[in-house]
Amino acid sequence: MNWNEVLREIETVKSAEAAALVDGVQYDSRRVGSGDLFVAMRGGTADGNQFIDRAIAQGATAVLTDSSEEYDRLRREHAETGVALVQHGRRAMAEASSAVFGHPEQHLALSGVTGTNGKTTTAFLLEAMLRSIGRRCVLIGTIETHIAGEVRESPHTTPESRDVLELFAEGVKAGATEAVMEMSSHALEQERVWGLPVDVAIFTNLTQDHLDYHGTMENYFAAKAQLFQGVGTPPPRVAVVNVDDPYGKRIAEAADRSQLIRYGLDPGADYSAEEISMRAGETRFRLQTPHGAVDIRSLLTGRVNIYNLLAAAASAHARGLTLEQIAAAAESGAQVRGRFEVVPSKSGFTVVVDYAHTDDALRNLIVLARELVRECGGRVITLFGCGGDRDRTKRPRMGRAAGEGSDLVVLTSDNPRGEDPMAIIAEALAGVQETGKQCIVEEDRARAIETAIHSAREGDIVLLAGKGHEKVQVLRSGPVPFDDVAVAARVLKGME
């Protein structure tokens, strides 16, 4: 693509035309190759402008910069290089990437999911429903990325816009017509999804998380709400909103330019669940909608997954599926990794791995476990830890949530990152101690899992919370391989 053609699609402060050809877009100078456009922008921890010369040396034919000084220097020293000065680096990267990759976002009907809890499961469910009737999809989320059936690991919940658009382009080439994305508050705030036309926007809930980044709940909410205002595009055609959540009610009130679909268990929701029955490995309810009712059976477990099923069902209906098609897809849907994932065993008790890493998610997980053991009189044993270099204020709250609902708490390390694991544990332990519940402290997560499982007896349920699908533990020295499911399976096998 000619640099001058790219320029016509970017909002610039000033620019210089050149005879350069642009074959790709990169924001990491280490990935720059011949014919690439290098996007140099200031970030939270580094300034990409300091790598401009390296990018040019590696073959970059054009540069987008948010530095007027670098723009002037490039005009003097690299007259043959295409250059543009932009006010918003990430917006310009999105605009340039869209142009270079052939505007793939215009060929996909995009559903975006945001909220604190439930994003991953809702996205998986919706994509499964769309695929069940033969539609090819792109899925971008926390656990996996899917490109028209091909499964890849996901390094981030929501990648940078350049990477999203490359994935979209691959999907379109493979015949995809739908895309489903988890959209994190960081991604919305940092404009990683800028310029993506969202057809269906989904709001699951909002509870305290990421305040180390956003500072306040209002800022956190404002970041999420951007999805429903439009991210450099018109507002979504349809807004699917959990109106049982107080922040969801605020989203619904403000979504006056979208077709609003309310879901929830409280009266007044457009999509609701009645005649609910639950047991481990199965949830049943009657889905009530303005368009009729249908019986839903799912292998997912618990009240929280009723919300996820309602969100996915409402969104799938907005994308043209019938209620009967939705019910069939819900019944055939597979387990989502690390989301109430039952580890197979012959022990007589149940071991569950779940990603719950906020006090609200942990409380919901424990409530579900309590419901499942009520009839047999079993106990709830909860293992959890708190992440390092993240919001410290939620640590005692997570401790209280674990202590209030559990019979036994095992407090351990999660992803301590740059912090002292025992200092993190001490802050969470204060919350557990307020409840007076028995608590075993074991810093080593593998030994803690072994302790939790060996503490169980027939009829109990052991919850291994916090890491879910993750395959590494992030220590001060860096990530090391670690898988809660694999560790639990090894302990259980040793007990046979």
Side-chain angles (χ1 to χ4, degrees):
M1 189 175 190
N2 185 281
W3 164 242
N4 300 329
E5 294 175 319
V6 177
L7 272 182
R8 287 196 286 270
E9 306 211 27
I10 305 170
E11 186 175 339
T12 64
V13 177
K14 52 185 175 180
S15 61
E17 294 190 349
L21 293 177
V22 175
D23 299 320
V25 179
Q26 297 292 350
Y27 55 88
D28 184 339
S29 62
R30 294 167 295 186
R31 294 164 56 182
V32 170
S34 179
D36 280 339
L37 162 63
F38 178 58
V39 182
M41 55 187 176
R42 300 177 184 90
T45 57
D47 184 354
N49 289 285
Q50 63 185 305
F51 303 109
I52 288 175
D53 287 341
R54 177 192 296 179
I56 292 174
Q58 291 175 195
T61 54
V63 175
L64 288 178
T65 176
D66 57 7
S67 166
S68 57
E69 292 81 3
E70 284 301 308
Y71 176 85
D72 293 338
R73 184 182 71 83
L74 286 169
R75 294 291 293 123
R76 292 193 307 270
E77 299 178 9
H78 296 280
E80 75 288 355
T81 301
V83 60
L85 175 65
V86 298
Q87 184 175 1
H88 303 287
R90 277 196 164 93
R91 294 184 185 183
M93 178 165 66
E95 293 160 353
S97 299
S98 174
V100 171
F101 287 120
H103 299 288
E105 76 282 1
Q106 296 179 5
H107 302 281
L108 296 168
L110 173 59
S111 298
V113 189
T114 199
T116 305
N117 303 312
K119 295 189 299 296
T120 297
T121 302
T122 299
F124 264 78
L125 286 168
L126 176 56
E127 191 228 11
M129 290 175 182
L130 295 167
R131 283 192 292 105
S132 73
I133 62 166
R135 297 186 191 176
R136 292 195 172 190
C137 304
V138 174
L139 171 73
I140 301 176
T142 303
I143 300 177
E144 293 173 351
T145 294
H146 299 171
I147 306 294
E150 179 192 344
V151 180
R152 307 175 186 176
E153 291 293 322
S154 290
H156 305 288
T157 296
T158 315
E160 293 284 359
S161 60
R162 177 253 174 236
D163 302 323
V164 169
L165 288 158
E166 182 178 44
L167 293 170
F168 279 7
E170 290 183 46
V172 170
K173 185 176 180 180
T177 58
E178 303 266 355
V180 181
M181 280 184 66
E182 295 180 50
M183 295 189 178
S184 68
S185 58
H186 292 72
L188 288 160
E189 181 77 18
Q190 295 171 4
E191 299 184 330
R192 291 186 228 153
V193 293
W194 184 262
L196 298 183
V198 178
D199 186 60
V200 178
I202 305 153
F203 180 84
T204 61
N205 51 64
L206 196 75
T207 61
Q208 185 169 328
D209 199 13
H210 304 306
L211 296 195
D212 54 300
Y213 178 80
H214 294 291
T216 67
M217 283 298 291
E218 275 304 304
N219 291 342
Y220 184 30
F221 171 71
K224 297 287 190 184
Q226 289 180 44
L227 176 58
F228 298 85
Q229 300 157 4
V231 283
T233 54
R237 177 180 65 89
V238 179
V240 176
V241 180
N242 175 7
V243 290
D244 288 357
D245 183 271
Y247 288 99
K249 289 185 172 72
R250 291 175 59 183
I251 292 282
E253 290 168 0
D256 55 354
R257 295 173 60 191
S258 302
Q259 176 191 338
L260 178 63
I261 299 177
R262 303 171 179 86
Y263 75 91
L265 301 181
D266 292 343
D270 301 311
Y271 283 66
S272 62
E274 298 180 355
E275 302 171 26
I276 297 169
S277 67
M278 293 182 291
R279 61 183 179 86
E282 183 183 71
T283 298
R284 293 176 181 264
F285 62 89
R286 186 148 182 84
L287 172 63
Q288 296 286 353
T289 83
H291 312 282
V294 68
D295 290 325
I296 299 290
R297 176 184 178 273
S298 171
L299 299 178
L300 301 178
T301 303
R303 185 182 180 89
V304 65
N305 279 315
I306 296 175
Y307 280 100
N308 296 332
L309 286 159
L310 288 173
S315 304
H317 200 261
R319 290 297 313 137
L321 274 71
T322 67
L323 295 181
E324 291 71 24
Q325 288 170 333
I326 289 167
E331 184 161 6
S332 62
Q335 168 71 51
V336 182
R337 280 197 293 136
R339 272 59 178 176
F340 207 88
E341 183 175 354
V342 178
V343 184
S345 85
K346 303 173 183 177
S347 61
F349 54 83
T350 303
V351 178
V352 171
V353 172
D354 193 272
Y355 190 54
H357 61 286
T358 67
D359 55 304
D360 184 67
L362 190 58
R363 187 173 290 107
N364 289 337
L365 175 66
I366 295 168
V367 167
L368 168 57
R370 181 65 64 192
E371 291 176 355
L372 296 176
V373 300
R374 184 171 291 124
E375 289 187 10
C376 64
R379 300 173 304 155
V380 177
I381 299 170
T382 301
L383 175 147
F384 82 103
C386 298
D389 299 333
R390 298 293 187 268
D391 180 11
R392 291 177 58 186
T393 66
K394 74 178 183 180
R395 294 171 186 173
R397 289 200 313 278
M398 289 184 68
R400 282 192 294 274
E404 287 168 355
S406 308
D407 297 290
L408 171 64
V409 177
V410 179
L411 184 51
T412 188
S413 186
D414 190 279
N415 292 316
R417 300 182 178 88
E419 289 192 62
D420 175 7
M422 287 306 298
I424 298 171
I425 287 172
E427 294 184 351
L429 181 60
V432 181
Q433 289 173 333
E434 289 178 16
T435 69
K437 289 293 172 64
Q438 181 186 0
C439 180
I440 300 171
V441 173
E442 172 52 69
E443 178 185 348
D444 184 278
R445 192 173 180 95
R447 287 201 294 266
I449 290 173
E450 184 174 3
T451 297
I453 292 174
H454 280 293
S455 299
R457 55 181 182 244
E458 188 167 351
D460 290 350
I461 187 165
V462 179
L463 304 174
L464 309 179
K467 291 180 61 59
H469 63 281
E470 294 177 358
K471 303 298 183 187
V472 298
Q473 187 175 26
V474 186
L475 310 178
R476 179 174 286 156
S477 57
V480 296
F482 196 94
D483 182 346
D484 277 5
V485 174
V487 173
R490 186 168 64 247
V491 174
L492 288 165
K493 185 171 180 59
M495 296 173 64
E496 292 179 0

